[in-house]
Amino acid sequence: MATDSWAQAVDEQEAAAESISNLQIKEKPEENGTAAYATDPSSSAAKPESKGEKSTDDDDKEDKAAQSLLNKLIRNNLVNTTNQVEVLQKDPNSPLYSVKSFEELRLKPQLLQGVYAMGFNRPSKIQETALPMMLAEPPQNLIAQSQSGTGKTAAFVLAMLSHVDPNNKYPQCLCVSPTYELALQTGKVIEQMGKYYPEVKLVYAIRGNKLQRGMKLQEQIVIGTPGTMLDWCSKFKFIDPKKIRVFVLDEADVMIATQGHQDQSIRIQRMLPKSCQMLLFSATFEESVWNFAQRIVPDPNIIKLKREEETLDTIKQYYVLCNCKEEKFQALCNIYGAITIAQAMIFCHTRKTAGWLAGELSREGHQVALLSGEMQVEQRAAVIERFRDGKEKVLVTTNVCARGIDVEQVSVVINFDLPVDKDGNPDNETYLHRIGRTGRFGKRGLAINMVDSKMSMNILNRIQEHFSKRIEKLDTDDLDEIEKIAS
Ligand SMILES: Nc1ncnc2c1ncn2[C@@H]1O[C@H](COP(=O)(O)OP(=O)(O)OP(=O)(O)O)[C@@H](O)[C@H]1O
């Protein structure tokens, strides 16, 4: 297996200006971290909640919610999943379907124990299909697409853990994630899954993790973001790239389509041995990115979804008609008034709107967290951690959090603004990643889109057409209707 063709393909690509322009960064207004919007540290979003100190207001709200049997039923319906997962894992049309057991995948006993300790009973379709390819000898390259929340991370983590030789005290697997938060999250999965395999060690190549110059890493797995990973391989030489056996690109499409990430990933890849296994995973791949991925990965196995399979049936999608942001906010309040929402993620187009909305929701008594691109990465990771722990119930964010973040209790995703690219066209990939923050692994989820102009209706229509999936209209003045969609 040769990894050279990545570099070759890049050279060709560099020569072909046209194809480069296909892969230019989509400048999403929230991700460049340059606008001067500051989080208000006095807002409830930034304020750490002191345990046991709840306002009377909060208590009243909780009492009301607890008294409402209807609300409880709705909540259970959106949150309770164990049975549903079982059913979906027996349904051949579900991405969670599997005829195999983890035993049949011939995992190491320590890993099998880790998998079961995480509560996984059976592999999902992507795990069942991808694992035999990834574990085969000689190792095979793979480009794999599977819907959000269907267990891709678990699949490549198992592959990495299966390939390392714990007797060798040097890095053997590199996993590159597009963001600090995702690297931390994937690292946690490695730690959990490798719980009974303590000889295998992990280190994070992320900003802030400073190592002494001249040291050589002893950990077998390195997970990190592309810039720091590249520095560790080339500038500081903490890692000997020639000894790497597995190279994983998570959220591979964004790693390829974002110029900076692409350059850094390619420079890392150029240092790896020809025999190194390359694994690329994502829930979405634009056509141009597919083509590029197939040119850079030698002899890849390919798992590709049909367009109509990309959206999950477990996520019900709606739209609400409004005239302005105040009306959108009112619609949101009506939704909150009608159903109990375990946790929600709300996506806005700009930091300004996100900040405004977080403030309005806080004033309404919601426990709100605000996350946007200008925050320090450590701050962002802390906000996500608090949200994951349920300390805040609503996360208002921009595209910075659209991908990969796995918070089980998110039962509703709201697109306060629809995702568009820099030319104002629908950003279908981001749409899919955003709504995929709910409906994780068989859970049911609601995705509600706020439409406030002819232009945004047009965008919504184009998103519907793209995925061949109907997005139903929802009247948020009709409480019965809202209750119905959640039941
Ligand atoms: N076989 C399994 N059985 C039960 N739960 C699983 C299984 N595999 C993964 N999960 C759980 O499902 C959730 C989603 O998995 P994961 O994060 O791996 O999905 P993903 O496909 O990587 O999602 P995304 O596209 O958003 O990155 C996680 O909470 C994970 O613990």
Side-chain angles (χ1 to χ4, degrees):
M1 184 175 39
T3 49
D4 266 1
S5 51
W6 170 301
Q8 198 189 325
V10 172
D11 293 339
E12 279 171 28
Q13 195 207 26
E14 278 164 3
E18 238 176 57
S19 61
I20 286 182
S21 66
N22 284 341
L23 297 163
Q24 290 293 323
I25 316 175
K26 277 191 221 149
E27 269 185 33
K28 299 201 181 101
E30 290 318 294
E31 287 181 342
N32 57 20
T34 50
Y37 170 78
T39 321
D40 174 8
S42 64
S43 80
S44 70
K47 219 186 285 169
E49 189 191 69
S50 51
K51 272 198 183 135
E53 276 182 20
K54 273 191 226 149
S55 68
T56 335
D57 242 314
D58 286 345
D59 285 337
D60 282 345
K61 278 204 178 82
E62 277 172 23
D63 282 351
K64 270 186 215 148
Q67 281 160 17
S68 160
L69 180 62
L70 179 68
N71 277 353
K72 268 195 196 161
L73 287 174
I74 292 166
R75 183 192 166 114
N76 282 347
N77 225 335
L78 283 172
V79 174
N80 201 343
T81 66
T82 326
N83 289 339
Q84 202 192 349
V85 167
E86 282 294 310
V87 171
L88 286 170
Q89 289 202 303
K90 288 177 185 153
D91 170 7
N93 297 319
S94 158
L96 308 184
Y97 168 77
S98 175
V99 281
K100 285 208 170 63
S101 63
F102 279 110
E103 274 88 355
E104 284 169 88
L105 294 172
R106 302 207 189 152
L107 299 171
K108 287 187 174 129
Q110 305 94 310
L111 296 181
L112 203 54
Q113 218 181 336
V115 162
Y116 286 134
M118 288 177 81
F120 297 2
N121 296 326
R122 280 166 195 243
S124 61
K125 200 176 254 177
I126 184 70
Q127 292 163 355
E128 175 197 320
T129 320
L131 275 164
M133 294 177 194
M134 293 193 286
L135 303 185
E137 280 300 338
Q140 297 174 25
N141 291 337
L142 176 65
I143 307 174
Q145 181 188 26
S146 166
Q147 300 89 338
S148 52
T150 53
K152 293 184 288 298
T153 308
F156 66 71
V157 164
L158 273 173
M160 286 196 290
L161 285 166
S162 300
H163 280 305
V164 292
D165 179 347
N167 297 318
N168 292 332
K169 309 287 181 213
Y170 53 77
Q172 299 156 44
C173 301
L174 303 185
C175 175
V176 186
S177 294
T179 64
Y180 180 98
E181 296 86 334
L182 272 183
L184 287 186
Q185 182 176 281
T186 305
K188 277 216 170 131
V189 177
I190 300 174
E191 283 165 20
Q192 282 175 300
M193 222 163 241
K195 188 174 164 194
Y196 300 97
Y197 202 11
E199 311 89 288
V200 177
K201 304 274 189 248
L202 160 77
V203 63
Y204 292 90
I206 47 178
R207 214 169 77 186
N209 193 7
K210 298 247 179 306
L211 305 181
Q212 264 187 353
R213 272 182 187 263
M215 79 170 286
K216 290 274 177 231
L217 289 174
Q218 305 219 331
E219 290 83 355
Q220 293 88 353
I221 301 180
V222 188
I223 164 123
T225 45
T228 310
M229 190 74 92
L230 176 63
D231 281 350
W232 285 20
C233 288
S234 62
K235 191 165 153 197
F236 299 115
K237 303 202 174 354
F238 297 140
I239 299 168
D240 179 356
K242 287 277 160 276
K243 291 182 174 162
I244 300 301
R245 300 161 66 170
V246 183
F247 181 56
V248 179
L249 274 191
D250 187 16
E251 306 291 345
D253 60 329
V254 80
M255 302 297 273
I256 291 172
T258 307
Q259 196 69 56
H261 287 348
Q262 190 197 97
D263 292 346
Q264 287 158 338
S265 306
I266 287 165
R267 287 174 62 197
I268 299 169
Q269 190 271 343
R270 280 179 169 156
M271 290 184 260
L272 304 176
K274 287 189 175 149
S275 55
C276 178
Q277 180 178 36
M278 290 185 67
L279 306 173
L280 273 62
F281 279 86
S282 185
T284 52
F285 283 94
E286 253 178 48
E287 216 42 51
S288 56
V289 175
W290 260 118
N291 296 338
F292 186 66
Q294 287 177 59
R295 284 167 52 216
I296 59 177
V297 180
D299 300 327
N301 288 296
I302 289 178
I303 301 174
K304 187 177 180 185
L305 292 175
K306 291 192 211 99
R307 176 64 52 75
E308 60 275 17
E309 290 171 341
E310 287 182 342
T311 48
L312 289 166
D313 289 334
T314 42
I315 305 171
K316 291 200 230 164
Q317 300 174 57
Y318 293 90
Y319 75 92
V320 180
L321 278 182
C322 310
N323 286 310
C324 56
K325 69 175 181 188
E326 286 74 18
E327 270 190 37
K328 294 202 254 184
F329 175 65
Q330 190 48 52
L332 197 55
C333 293
N334 292 353
I335 294 167
Y336 265 99
I339 56 173
T340 304
I341 297 172
Q343 278 184 293
M345 282 178 75
I346 307 180
F347 289 96
C348 301
H349 192 56
T350 63
R351 287 170 197 156
K352 202 169 153 203
T353 311
W356 170 82
L357 183 60
E360 293 297 304
L361 283 164
S362 298
R363 269 189 281 286
E364 282 288 307
H366 291 280
Q367 299 157 282
V368 188
L370 173 63
L371 189 103
S372 60
E374 92 292 355
M375 292 165 82
Q376 294 283 325
V377 278
E378 294 85 353
Q379 259 182 310
R380 282 177 4 203
V383 169
I384 291 174
E385 215 38 53
R386 287 177 54 80
F387 183 63
R388 202 191 303 281
D389 290 345
K391 291 189 176 121
E392 276 93 23
K393 307 291 180 211
V394 190
L395 181 70
V396 180
T397 183
T398 51
N399 279 339
V400 78
C401 209
R403 279 173 178 263
I405 296 296
D406 181 42
V407 179
E408 217 181 319
Q409 295 301 329
V410 174
S411 52
V412 177
V413 166
I414 310 258
N415 279 320
F416 197 78
D417 298 307
L418 293 172
V420 286
D421 66 16
K422 64 178 181 354
D423 303 318
N425 291 314
D427 184 345
N428 298 310
E429 280 72 33
T430 299
Y431 180 82
L432 207 64
H433 283 281
R434 282 184 180 183
I435 70 167
R437 296 315 98 214
T438 185
R440 310 286 296 164
F441 212 84
K443 281 194 158 59
R444 294 174 55 194
L446 284 179
I448 302 176
N449 298 288
M450 305 278 181
V451 170
D452 60 1
S453 62
K454 262 194 190 153
M455 206 170 77
S456 62
M457 193 64 227
N458 175 270
I459 286 164
L460 188 94
N461 285 333
R462 286 162 69 190
I463 291 173
Q464 291 193 78
E465 270 163 36
H466 179 87
F467 293 113
S468 313
K469 192 103 181 178
R470 208 171 137 66
I471 304 178
E472 304 279 345
K473 188 173 171 194
L474 175 68
D475 178 3
T476 46
D477 291 329
D478 183 345
L479 295 190
D480 288 345
E481 195 180 320
I482 307 175
E483 283 173 2
K484 236 184 269 159
I485 65 162
S487 61

mmCIF file of all heavy atoms in Angstrom, residues 89 102 118-124 127 147-154 251 283 404 406 437 440-441, ligand 1:
data_model
loop_
_atom_site.group_PDB
_atom_site.id
_atom_site.type_symbol
_atom_site.label_atom_id
_atom_site.label_comp_id
_atom_site.label_asym_id
_atom_site.label_seq_id
_atom_site.Cartn_x
_atom_site.Cartn_y
_atom_site.Cartn_z
ATOM 1 N N GLN A 89 -31.572 -1.977 15.688
ATOM 2 C CA GLN A 89 -30.442 -2.856 15.349
ATOM 3 C C GLN A 89 -30.910 -4.160 14.703
ATOM 4 O O GLN A 89 -30.097 -4.933 14.229
ATOM 5 C CB GLN A 89 -29.579 -3.106 16.585
ATOM 6 C CG GLN A 89 -28.791 -1.838 16.975
ATOM 7 C CD GLN A 89 -27.574 -2.102 17.818
ATOM 8 O OE1 GLN A 89 -27.686 -2.704 18.880
ATOM 9 N NE2 GLN A 89 -26.411 -1.649 17.382
ATOM 10 N N PHE A 102 -20.043 -8.304 18.399
ATOM 11 C CA PHE A 102 -18.658 -7.837 18.514
ATOM 12 C C PHE A 102 -17.684 -9.021 18.573
ATOM 13 O O PHE A 102 -16.561 -8.917 18.107
ATOM 14 C CB PHE A 102 -18.497 -6.924 19.733
ATOM 15 C CG PHE A 102 -18.954 -5.510 19.484
ATOM 16 C CD1 PHE A 102 -20.094 -5.011 20.092
ATOM 17 C CD2 PHE A 102 -18.253 -4.672 18.628
ATOM 18 C CE1 PHE A 102 -20.509 -3.719 19.856
ATOM 19 C CE2 PHE A 102 -18.661 -3.371 18.384
ATOM 20 C CZ PHE A 102 -19.796 -2.887 19.002
ATOM 21 N N MET A 118 -18.901 -0.131 27.854
ATOM 22 C CA MET A 118 -19.520 1.112 27.377
ATOM 23 C C MET A 118 -21.000 0.926 27.065
ATOM 24 O O MET A 118 -21.674 1.872 26.630
ATOM 25 C CB MET A 118 -18.792 1.601 26.118
ATOM 26 C CG MET A 118 -17.425 2.159 26.415
ATOM 27 S SD MET A 118 -16.562 2.655 24.914
ATOM 28 C CE MET A 118 -17.286 4.260 24.586
ATOM 29 N N GLY A 119 -21.482 -0.281 27.230
ATOM 30 C CA GLY A 119 -22.910 -0.539 27.012
ATOM 31 C C GLY A 119 -23.242 -0.837 25.556
ATOM 32 O O GLY A 119 -24.400 -0.785 25.156
ATOM 33 N N PHE A 120 -22.241 -1.124 24.742
ATOM 34 C CA PHE A 120 -22.514 -1.459 23.339
ATOM 35 C C PHE A 120 -22.813 -2.961 23.267
ATOM 36 O O PHE A 120 -21.971 -3.780 23.631
ATOM 37 C CB PHE A 120 -21.297 -1.177 22.443
ATOM 38 C CG PHE A 120 -20.856 0.257 22.362
ATOM 39 C CD1 PHE A 120 -21.483 1.255 23.085
ATOM 40 C CD2 PHE A 120 -19.804 0.615 21.525
ATOM 41 C CE1 PHE A 120 -21.068 2.583 23.001
ATOM 42 C CE2 PHE A 120 -19.376 1.936 21.428
ATOM 43 C CZ PHE A 120 -20.006 2.912 22.176
ATOM 44 N N ASN A 121 -23.996 -3.320 22.771
ATOM 45 C CA ASN A 121 -24.329 -4.740 22.670
ATOM 46 C C ASN A 121 -23.950 -5.324 21.320
ATOM 47 O O ASN A 121 -23.483 -6.452 21.232
ATOM 48 C CB ASN A 121 -25.825 -4.964 22.917
ATOM 49 C CG ASN A 121 -26.180 -4.580 24.335
ATOM 50 O OD1 ASN A 121 -25.355 -4.761 25.242
ATOM 51 N ND2 ASN A 121 -27.361 -4.025 24.534
ATOM 52 N N ARG A 122 -24.231 -4.558 20.291
ATOM 53 C CA ARG A 122 -23.908 -5.009 18.930
ATOM 54 C C ARG A 122 -23.239 -3.892 18.154
ATOM 55 O O ARG A 122 -23.512 -2.725 18.424
ATOM 56 C CB ARG A 122 -25.207 -5.223 18.149
ATOM 57 C CG ARG A 122 -25.950 -6.449 18.365
ATOM 58 C CD ARG A 122 -27.289 -6.148 17.717
ATOM 59 N NE ARG A 122 -28.273 -7.106 18.142
ATOM 60 C CZ ARG A 122 -28.864 -7.933 17.315
ATOM 61 N NH1 ARG A 122 -28.580 -7.894 16.039
ATOM 62 N NH2 ARG A 122 -29.754 -8.764 17.748
ATOM 63 N N PRO A 123 -22.481 -4.265 17.136
ATOM 64 C CA PRO A 123 -21.918 -3.202 16.292
ATOM 65 C C PRO A 123 -23.020 -2.559 15.446
ATOM 66 O O PRO A 123 -24.054 -3.189 15.189
ATOM 67 C CB PRO A 123 -20.929 -3.941 15.397
ATOM 68 C CG PRO A 123 -21.338 -5.373 15.433
ATOM 69 C CD PRO A 123 -22.083 -5.611 16.710
ATOM 70 N N SER A 124 -22.811 -1.332 15.031
ATOM 71 C CA SER A 124 -23.725 -0.700 14.067
ATOM 72 C C SER A 124 -23.283 -1.131 12.671
ATOM 73 O O SER A 124 -22.258 -1.798 12.507
ATOM 74 C CB SER A 124 -23.652 0.819 14.191
ATOM 75 O OG SER A 124 -22.338 1.249 13.906
ATOM 76 N N GLN A 127 -19.822 -0.053 11.805
ATOM 77 C CA GLN A 127 -18.819 -0.802 12.572
ATOM 78 C C GLN A 127 -18.676 -2.217 12.013
ATOM 79 O O GLN A 127 -17.575 -2.725 11.813
ATOM 80 C CB GLN A 127 -19.211 -0.831 14.057
ATOM 81 C CG GLN A 127 -19.112 0.542 14.713
ATOM 82 C CD GLN A 127 -19.858 0.664 16.028
ATOM 83 O OE1 GLN A 127 -20.554 -0.254 16.466
ATOM 84 N NE2 GLN A 127 -19.724 1.821 16.675
ATOM 85 N N GLN A 147 -23.972 7.983 8.500
ATOM 86 C CA GLN A 147 -24.758 9.077 9.058
ATOM 87 C C GLN A 147 -24.224 9.508 10.428
ATOM 88 O O GLN A 147 -23.597 8.719 11.120
ATOM 89 C CB GLN A 147 -26.231 8.651 9.222
ATOM 90 C CG GLN A 147 -26.918 8.248 7.949
ATOM 91 C CD GLN A 147 -26.762 6.774 7.631
ATOM 92 O OE1 GLN A 147 -25.836 6.112 8.110
ATOM 93 N NE2 GLN A 147 -27.643 6.248 6.822
ATOM 94 N N SER A 148 -24.547 10.749 10.802
ATOM 95 C CA SER A 148 -24.066 11.258 12.086
ATOM 96 C C SER A 148 -24.602 10.391 13.223
ATOM 97 O O SER A 148 -25.735 9.898 13.172
ATOM 98 C CB SER A 148 -24.499 12.708 12.283
ATOM 99 O OG SER A 148 -25.876 12.820 12.077
ATOM 100 N N GLY A 149 -23.767 10.186 14.212
ATOM 101 C CA GLY A 149 -24.176 9.465 15.410
ATOM 102 C C GLY A 149 -24.367 7.978 15.223
ATOM 103 O O GLY A 149 -25.082 7.329 15.994
ATOM 104 N N THR A 150 -23.741 7.380 14.203
ATOM 105 C CA THR A 150 -23.934 5.946 13.973
ATOM 106 C C THR A 150 -22.716 5.112 14.392
ATOM 107 O O THR A 150 -22.643 3.931 14.098
ATOM 108 C CB THR A 150 -24.269 5.655 12.480
ATOM 109 O OG1 THR A 150 -23.265 6.270 11.672
ATOM 110 C CG2 THR A 150 -25.634 6.175 12.094
ATOM 111 N N GLY A 151 -21.767 5.742 15.046
ATOM 112 C CA GLY A 151 -20.668 4.966 15.619
ATOM 113 C C GLY A 151 -19.380 4.931 14.819
ATOM 114 O O GLY A 151 -18.584 4.000 14.969
ATOM 115 N N LYS A 152 -19.130 5.976 14.010
ATOM 116 C CA LYS A 152 -17.877 6.017 13.239
ATOM 117 C C LYS A 152 -16.675 6.154 14.175
ATOM 118 O O LYS A 152 -15.666 5.482 13.999
ATOM 119 C CB LYS A 152 -17.882 7.207 12.258
ATOM 120 C CG LYS A 152 -18.898 7.092 11.153
ATOM 121 C CD LYS A 152 -18.788 8.243 10.174
ATOM 122 C CE LYS A 152 -19.274 9.562 10.725
ATOM 123 N NZ LYS A 152 -20.688 9.620 11.099
ATOM 124 N N THR A 153 -16.810 7.052 15.161
ATOM 125 C CA THR A 153 -15.685 7.272 16.076
ATOM 126 C C THR A 153 -15.298 5.966 16.750
ATOM 127 O O THR A 153 -14.124 5.582 16.785
ATOM 128 C CB THR A 153 -16.067 8.329 17.143
ATOM 129 O OG1 THR A 153 -16.567 9.466 16.465
ATOM 130 C CG2 THR A 153 -14.884 8.712 18.012
ATOM 131 N N ALA A 154 -16.316 5.283 17.268
ATOM 132 C CA ALA A 154 -16.049 4.012 17.943
ATOM 133 C C ALA A 154 -15.354 3.047 16.986
ATOM 134 O O ALA A 154 -14.457 2.289 17.389
ATOM 135 C CB ALA A 154 -17.355 3.427 18.456
ATOM 136 N N GLU A 251 -13.673 13.541 10.431
ATOM 137 C CA GLU A 251 -14.324 14.643 9.705
ATOM 138 C C GLU A 251 -13.486 14.950 8.460
ATOM 139 O O GLU A 251 -13.126 16.102 8.177
ATOM 140 C CB GLU A 251 -14.462 15.893 10.592
ATOM 141 C CG GLU A 251 -15.166 15.665 11.910
ATOM 142 C CD GLU A 251 -16.658 15.357 11.770
ATOM 143 O OE1 GLU A 251 -17.232 15.583 10.688
ATOM 144 O OE2 GLU A 251 -17.245 14.837 12.746
ATOM 145 N N ALA A 283 -19.493 12.075 7.980
ATOM 146 C CA ALA A 283 -20.911 11.844 7.680
ATOM 147 C C ALA A 283 -21.256 12.450 6.323
ATOM 148 O O ALA A 283 -22.265 12.102 5.715
ATOM 149 C CB ALA A 283 -21.777 12.475 8.765
ATOM 150 N N GLY A 404 -19.666 16.604 14.927
ATOM 151 C CA GLY A 404 -19.063 15.584 15.782
ATOM 152 C C GLY A 404 -19.416 15.572 17.255
ATOM 153 O O GLY A 404 -19.334 14.539 17.886
ATOM 154 N N ASP A 406 -20.812 14.946 20.585
ATOM 155 C CA ASP A 406 -21.734 13.860 20.932
ATOM 156 C C ASP A 406 -22.275 14.094 22.340
ATOM 157 O O ASP A 406 -21.621 13.792 23.320
ATOM 158 C CB ASP A 406 -20.933 12.548 20.855
ATOM 159 C CG ASP A 406 -21.783 11.334 21.166
ATOM 160 O OD1 ASP A 406 -22.937 11.271 20.691
ATOM 161 O OD2 ASP A 406 -21.304 10.453 21.901
ATOM 162 N N ARG A 437 -26.658 16.504 15.609
ATOM 163 C CA ARG A 437 -26.320 16.593 17.045
ATOM 164 C C ARG A 437 -27.437 15.990 17.881
ATOM 165 O O ARG A 437 -27.266 15.723 19.053
ATOM 166 C CB ARG A 437 -26.097 18.058 17.496
ATOM 167 C CG ARG A 437 -24.942 18.823 16.900
ATOM 168 C CD ARG A 437 -23.679 18.031 16.849
ATOM 169 N NE ARG A 437 -23.493 17.452 15.553
ATOM 170 C CZ ARG A 437 -22.909 16.259 15.343
ATOM 171 N NH1 ARG A 437 -22.494 15.522 16.327
ATOM 172 N NH2 ARG A 437 -22.774 15.795 14.123
ATOM 173 N N ARG A 440 -28.872 10.807 18.245
ATOM 174 C CA ARG A 440 -27.634 10.041 18.291
ATOM 175 C C ARG A 440 -27.935 8.569 18.557
ATOM 176 O O ARG A 440 -28.703 8.223 19.438
ATOM 177 C CB ARG A 440 -26.700 10.562 19.395
ATOM 178 C CG ARG A 440 -26.475 12.040 19.390
ATOM 179 C CD ARG A 440 -25.585 12.553 18.318
ATOM 180 N NE ARG A 440 -24.221 12.073 18.408
ATOM 181 C CZ ARG A 440 -23.352 12.158 17.414
ATOM 182 N NH1 ARG A 440 -23.719 12.688 16.252
ATOM 183 N NH2 ARG A 440 -22.123 11.720 17.567
ATOM 184 N N PHE A 441 -27.338 7.732 17.817
ATOM 185 C CA PHE A 441 -27.425 6.275 17.931
ATOM 186 C C PHE A 441 -28.839 5.783 18.311
ATOM 187 O O PHE A 441 -29.065 5.210 19.367
ATOM 188 C CB PHE A 441 -26.392 5.745 18.929
ATOM 189 C CG PHE A 441 -25.924 4.372 18.526
ATOM 190 C CD1 PHE A 441 -24.900 4.223 17.597
ATOM 191 C CD2 PHE A 441 -26.542 3.228 19.014
ATOM 192 C CE1 PHE A 441 -24.495 2.967 17.182
ATOM 193 C CE2 PHE A 441 -26.153 1.966 18.602
ATOM 194 C CZ PHE A 441 -25.115 1.842 17.685
HETATM 195 N N1 LIG B 1 -22.378 -0.272 18.835
HETATM 196 C C1 LIG B 1 -22.862 0.676 19.609
HETATM 197 N N2 LIG B 1 -23.870 0.418 20.489
HETATM 198 C C2 LIG B 1 -24.386 1.400 21.262
HETATM 199 N N3 LIG B 1 -23.988 2.690 21.244
HETATM 200 C C3 LIG B 1 -22.998 3.010 20.389
HETATM 201 C C4 LIG B 1 -22.376 2.027 19.538
HETATM 202 N N4 LIG B 1 -21.424 2.665 18.795
HETATM 203 C C5 LIG B 1 -21.440 3.961 19.187
HETATM 204 N N5 LIG B 1 -22.381 4.169 20.138
HETATM 205 C C6 LIG B 1 -22.719 5.455 20.800
HETATM 206 O O1 LIG B 1 -23.420 6.231 19.843
HETATM 207 C C7 LIG B 1 -23.096 7.600 19.964
HETATM 208 C C8 LIG B 1 -22.640 8.136 18.611
HETATM 209 O O2 LIG B 1 -21.432 7.466 18.227
HETATM 210 P P1 LIG B 1 -20.219 8.232 17.507
HETATM 211 O O3 LIG B 1 -19.921 9.521 18.213
HETATM 212 O O4 LIG B 1 -19.146 7.216 17.335
HETATM 213 O O5 LIG B 1 -20.907 8.570 16.121
HETATM 214 P P2 LIG B 1 -20.285 9.236 14.822
HETATM 215 O O6 LIG B 1 -20.804 8.447 13.675
HETATM 216 O O7 LIG B 1 -18.808 9.370 14.981
HETATM 217 O O8 LIG B 1 -20.988 10.664 14.844
HETATM 218 P P3 LIG B 1 -20.613 12.047 14.073
HETATM 219 O O9 LIG B 1 -20.886 11.864 12.609
HETATM 220 O O10 LIG B 1 -21.557 13.054 14.659
HETATM 221 O O11 LIG B 1 -19.174 12.334 14.369
HETATM 222 C C9 LIG B 1 -22.000 7.705 21.024
HETATM 223 O O12 LIG B 1 -22.573 8.183 22.212
HETATM 224 C C10 LIG B 1 -21.491 6.280 21.169
HETATM 225 O O13 LIG B 1 -21.069 6.020 22.488
#
